Amino acid sequence: MVSREEIEHVAKLMRIEIDDPTIYERVDKMIGYFDILDSAGVESEEISVREIPITHLREDKYIPFDEKLIEKLNHYKGTYVRAPKMV
């Protein structure tokens, strides 16, 4: 399957710290499930798609918005919108 070094390499590329030693077993199980799904053999299955004629779609309309949208936002201060911190 996937070696421990490969998992550590991908985690390093994604800037993810792996502190939990059970993560390697979980990743191995996850990839095993993907292998099962790959071997399911659904290539011959037919996918049904409902076709809708373009005449049945609604017409696009431009509706002007006269108010300042930024003033309607929560946590608005001056010309900035306060957002949650990204970790």
Side-chain angles (χ1 to χ4, degrees):
M1 281 269 164
V2 178
S3 69
R4 185 180 190 113
E5 291 81 24
E6 290 173 320
I7 294 172
E8 289 172 353
H9 177 69
V10 171
K12 185 178 179 182
L13 291 174
M14 296 174 66
R15 297 181 181 165
I16 299 173
E17 291 183 27
I18 301 177
D19 297 330
D20 186 8
T22 63
I23 192 78
Y24 301 103
E25 297 168 10
R26 293 183 3 216
V27 168
D28 197 36
K29 284 181 183 179
M30 218 178 347
I31 292 174
Y33 291 133
F34 286 127
D35 288 339
I36 292 170
L37 291 174
D38 285 342
S39 64
V42 294
E43 293 84 16
S44 62
E45 294 294 322
E46 184 177 329
I47 299 172
S48 62
V49 178
R50 193 176 97 197
E51 294 183 21
I52 301 173
I54 200 161
T55 56
H56 286 82
L57 300 176
R58 67 168 172 81
E59 182 182 338
D60 288 335
K61 295 180 183 177
Y62 170 71
I63 301 171
F65 189 76
D66 297 329
E67 300 177 40
K68 290 188 176 183
L69 184 58
I70 198 163
E71 292 175 356
K72 299 292 180 186
L73 298 173
N74 293 337
H75 308 293
Y76 167 70
K77 185 175 184 180
T79 57
Y80 298 98
V81 177
R82 185 170 167 224
K85 289 185 179 181
M86 301 295 286
V87 179

